[in-house]
Amino acid sequence: DGGITQSPKYLFRKEGQNVTLSCEQNLNHDAMYWYRQDPGQGLRLIYYSHIVNDFQKGDIAEGYSVSREKKESFPLTVTSAQKNPTAFYLCASSIVGGAGQPQHFGDGTRLSIL
Amino acid sequence: EDKVVQSPLSLVVHEGDTVTLNCSYEVTNFRSLLWYKQEKKAPTFLFMLTSSGIEKKSGRLSSILDKKELFSILNITATQTGDSAVYLCAVDGLGNFNKFYFGSGTKLNVKP
């Protein structure tokens, strides 16, 4: 079955610690995205990538970093510079181009501060 | 500034009621508008709309887009408790690439 796998489901971060959230897809999609969702709010774009070795900042990139070394993988690092990291993080992928394509989402990672 | 606004923010209805959820947008280089349903985890795709006035329908759910007035509605008829979820509207709006702008969602609670 094709899909997007995010891990871990739950993650706890200590003060001053960097943590990395994993996102892997086997849909052969070129585009991948990271979103942050806070309670009662919609999705806010952190980073996105349309091709391997290239990515762009979204609306709330400060305190986060990404890499795109393989088409299938788009890990997100939440750095110690992100002072309010507690949120639900969603990874998504889509086909690039055409008349617009829907995004497919992983099941998310819930990050909390210890 | 590109934005997507959904209303109402939350809604409580009883089983059997019909509901209408609204989504208005101001997004340059509009390509499509999408509706998603989010229960506990991942949003699941419902509809993608690209043309004005053409209704998309799936069972009790339907949606339509008005590109002149820049809004879309999602209708759910004969609601069931399983329809309880957050409904997200997103607009794909960055030229040849897909950058999605999401609204804050409408939280629907269907009571028995």
Side-chain angles (χ1 to χ4, degrees), chain B residues 47-59:
Chain B
F47 298 111
M48 183 173 75
L49 304 154
T50 55
S51 301
S52 274
I54 298 175
E55 185 183 52
K56 292 272 182 107
K57 199 169 170 63
S58 175

Side-chain angles (χ1 to χ4, degrees), chain A residues 41-102:
Chain A
Q41 297 192 31
L43 279 59
R44 291 186 290 167
L45 183 63
I46 305 173
Y47 269 98
Y48 60 106
S49 167
H50 292 124
I51 196 168
V52 174
N53 293 323
D54 189 38
F55 47 82
Q56 287 77 40
K57 293 182 179 180
D59 302 314
I60 55 165
E62 187 175 346
Y64 300 96
S65 66
V66 293
S67 63
R68 187 85 188 276
E69 296 176 2
K70 296 187 299 183
K71 187 175 183 178
E72 305 80 28
S73 178
F74 193 39
L76 173 75
T77 296
V78 184
T79 74
S80 57
Q82 172 50 246
K83 297 305 179 190
N84 183 23
T86 297
F88 187 51
Y89 291 87
L90 283 163
C91 179
S93 71
S94 73
I95 298 169
V96 172
Q101 297 288 338

